[in-house]
Amino acid sequence: MLDLSKLVIETPSWGYADSGTRFAVFAQPGRPRDVFERIDDAAEVHRLTGTAGAVALHFPWDAVDDYGALREHIEARGLKVGAVNPNLFQDYDYKLGSVTHPDARVREKAVAHLVECLGIAADLGSTAQSLWLADGTNYPGQDDLRARRQRLHESLSQVYAQLPGDQELLVEYKLFEPAFYATDLADWGSALLTCQKLGDRARVLIDLGHHAQGVNIEQIVALLDAEGRLGGFHFNNRKYADDDLIVGSVNPFELFLIFFELAEGGLPRLTIDQSHNVEAKVEAMVLSIVNLQEAYAKALLVDRDALRAVQEAGDVLGGHEVLLDAYRTDVREVCARARVALGAEENPVAAHRESGYKARMAAERS
Ligand code: RM4
Ligand code: MN
Ligand code: MN
């Protein structure tokens, strides 16, 4: 029988909040008004799916006066705090960068926020800082590329020196956007080099939407894992760029191949990083979790001994067939039963629709 208990997905507090594109933000009725209500939505997703037991937070978006009270609220709803995500991209001072900014005063401010987040994580019982930088340049010649890298390492070393022993630093990269010429941490290689400079507790975080088209992301998983530097994974899906769509909605086969590699190495920290603009947010999150459960179930079905045997025999398509056998298996029933074993719903999306949660929140949170 399939056991889903080892699969823990962190859902993002920011995935429940208002979001949009640069063209418009369409506020949804019943949307949470503060971090406490975002946690309530996360708890509803966990109740339905059994797999979303932690929630990743973003600061200052989720800042409160009393972190003890926030922690109590989270734990009272049966959740844990996932990674703490410092936000270094919205303050006006960060227009030309945060930890890479040419002005030392701005770099100090960015470092101070990162250090503040170490304390917030400690108060909340979180064991990871998850860092994504919007830093980069838009035009050739705008800034000195080597100097920016130097500033990045100097700033992050100061933070790493203060990293509490039970926390790790996850370093996320992204090819482009908001910078359109040179992003300071653009790919897994630059993130890995940065982590190696910092120390053992700095590891790379892969976001599914942060690569050029066609990049083999499962291979990056295998490579970083083999180096002991795979820290985490952000799930979403895309057709073109960093589209942040529902996991598994556009390219389910790629998701399966990624899970095959993730499951090979022992799962790292797994987080959904999505932004729902036109779809219902809680339902979108539930569907993402269901798709993750199914991809994970299929990855566990791969006959790894048979795979090794045909690989050693040099059978080119034999190995491919072993993967396809697992991928083509209908796992909906076994996942439904595994969810029930966790005390969750057989069909989470239908249960959510029938529960009236959406209408109730629309009335309560008006
Ligand atoms: C970025 C990146 C980060 C997330 C922000 C909101 O594109 O994926 O992980 O924290 O968006
Ligand atoms: Mn991300
Ligand atoms: Mn992103």
Side-chain angles (χ1 to χ4, degrees), residues 171-311:
V171 179
E172 180 176 359
Y173 59 89
K174 179 175 173 178
L175 177 64
F176 79 102
E177 191 197 45
F180 292 107
Y181 169 65
T183 295
D184 289 302
L185 286 170
D187 54 24
W188 66 265
S190 33
L192 177 62
L193 288 171
T194 298
C195 290
Q196 286 170 337
K197 277 203 158 64
L198 292 172
D200 288 345
R201 280 182 297 130
R203 296 193 289 164
V204 181
L205 184 141
I206 304 173
D207 183 310
L208 195 34
H210 288 191
H211 307 83
Q213 287 287 354
V215 166
N216 186 334
I217 296 165
E218 57 271 23
Q219 190 179 21
I220 302 174
V221 170
L223 189 149
L224 290 174
D225 181 52
E227 294 296 319
R229 290 289 182 162
L230 179 62
F233 203 98
H234 275 181
F235 290 107
N236 43 55
N237 219 175
R238 60 96 170 262
K239 183 80 178 157
Y240 301 106
D242 189 21
D243 306 340
D244 285 338
L245 301 174
I246 292 171
V247 186
S249 58
V250 179
N251 200 345
F253 188 57
E254 180 186 42
L255 182 64
F256 160 75
L257 296 174
I258 287 169
F259 254 108
F260 170 72
E261 294 300 340
L262 288 170
E264 176 81 24
L267 301 176
R269 185 177 292 264
L270 304 177
T271 308
I272 288 177
D273 184 8
Q274 285 175 189
S275 164
H276 311 121
N277 300 329
V278 295
E279 61 276 56
K281 287 167 194 291
V282 173
E283 184 175 329
M285 207 65 88
V286 170
L287 181 53
S288 286
I289 297 280
V290 168
N291 289 345
L292 286 166
Q293 290 171 329
E294 290 178 2
Y296 174 66
K298 289 182 182 190
L300 294 184
L301 280 180
V302 174
D303 185 339
R304 291 181 191 247
D305 293 334
L307 185 61
R308 216 162 295 122
V310 286
Q311 287 172 345

Side-chain angles (χ1 to χ4, degrees), residues 304-366:
R304 291 181 191 247
D305 293 334
L307 185 61
R308 216 162 295 122
V310 286
Q311 287 172 345
E312 278 163 17
D315 180 350
V316 176
L317 290 182
H320 184 57
E321 251 171 61
V322 171
L323 289 185
L324 286 182
D325 261 349
Y327 178 66
R328 288 181 176 145
T329 308
D330 187 346
V331 295
R332 287 175 295 180
E333 266 308 307
V334 287
C335 285
R337 272 183 276 127
R339 275 190 296 271
V340 172
L342 292 177
E345 291 288 344
E346 217 175 305
N347 184 339
V349 172
H352 172 62
R353 289 193 161 209
E354 281 156 22
S355 71
Y357 183 82
K358 200 176 161 195
R360 217 163 52 242
M361 290 309 119
E364 274 175 28
R365 295 173 178 173
S366 59

Side-chain angles (χ1 to χ4, degrees), residues 11-17 32 35 38-39 42 55-58 61-62 285:
T11 71
S13 68
W14 59 97
Y16 300 101
V35 60
R38 292 195 277 279
I39 299 298
V55 58
L57 300 174
H58 223 296
W61 290 340
D62 294 321
M285 207 65 88

Side-chain angles (χ1 to χ4, degrees), residues 4-281:
L4 283 177
S5 64
K6 284 198 193 71
L7 184 67
V8 178
I9 307 288
E10 301 186 5
T11 71
S13 68
W14 59 97
Y16 300 101
D18 269 344
S19 59
T21 65
R22 60 199 163 110
F23 301 102
V25 175
F26 302 106
Q28 297 188 4
R31 64 189 183 282
R33 292 164 296 187
D34 58 22
V35 60
F36 294 93
E37 292 181 352
R38 292 195 277 279
I39 299 298
D40 295 344
D41 284 359
E44 180 64 5
V45 173
H46 184 47
R47 182 186 75 75
L48 293 159
T49 63
T51 290
V55 58
L57 300 174
H58 223 296
F59 295 94
W61 290 340
D62 294 321
V64 291
D65 293 332
D66 181 354
Y67 285 105
L70 179 59
R71 184 173 180 167
E72 252 171 54
H73 186 86
I74 292 169
E75 290 173 355
R77 288 195 175 33
L79 300 174
K80 279 192 192 150
V81 181
V84 160
N85 292 246
N87 178 324
L88 293 174
F89 49 86
Q90 282 188 312
D91 195 292
Y92 187 84
D93 275 341
Y94 300 142
K95 188 170 136 185
L96 302 179
S98 62
V99 291
T100 63
H101 198 285
D103 183 344
R105 184 193 63 83
V106 177
R107 297 201 296 279
E108 278 157 27
K109 173 171 168 169
V111 168
H113 176 57
L114 294 173
V115 170
E116 180 196 7
C117 283
L118 302 178
I120 294 174
D123 289 348
L124 291 173
S126 162
T127 54
Q129 297 290 320
S130 191
L131 183 61
W132 171 73
L133 302 173
D135 293 46
T137 52
N138 272 0
Y139 294 95
Q142 180 187 326
D143 198 2
D144 181 321
L145 299 177
R146 288 179 179 82
R148 290 183 75 85
R149 198 151 175 79
Q150 182 68 29
R151 295 175 208 138
L152 170 83
H153 289 153
E154 276 169 18
S155 304
L156 292 188
S157 301
Q158 291 172 37
V159 179
Y160 191 84
Q162 297 180 60
L163 191 68
D166 60 349
Q167 288 183 37
E168 59 179 343
L169 181 67
L170 307 178
V171 179
E172 180 176 359
Y173 59 89
K174 179 175 173 178
L175 177 64
F176 79 102
E177 191 197 45
F180 292 107
Y181 169 65
T183 295
D184 289 302
L185 286 170
D187 54 24
W188 66 265
S190 33
L192 177 62
L193 288 171
T194 298
C195 290
Q196 286 170 337
K197 277 203 158 64
L198 292 172
D200 288 345
R201 280 182 297 130
R203 296 193 289 164
V204 181
L205 184 141
I206 304 173
D207 183 310
L208 195 34
H210 288 191
H211 307 83
Q213 287 287 354
V215 166
N216 186 334
I217 296 165
E218 57 271 23
Q219 190 179 21
I220 302 174
V221 170
L223 189 149
L224 290 174
D225 181 52
E227 294 296 319
R229 290 289 182 162
L230 179 62
F233 203 98
H234 275 181
F235 290 107
N236 43 55
N237 219 175
R238 60 96 170 262
K239 183 80 178 157
Y240 301 106
D242 189 21
D243 306 340
D244 285 338
L245 301 174
I246 292 171
V247 186
S249 58
V250 179
N251 200 345
F253 188 57
E254 180 186 42
L255 182 64
F256 160 75
L257 296 174
I258 287 169
F259 254 108
F260 170 72
E261 294 300 340
L262 288 170
E264 176 81 24
L267 301 176
R269 185 177 292 264
L270 304 177
T271 308
I272 288 177
D273 184 8
Q274 285 175 189
S275 164
H276 311 121
N277 300 329
V278 295
E279 61 276 56
K281 287 167 194 291

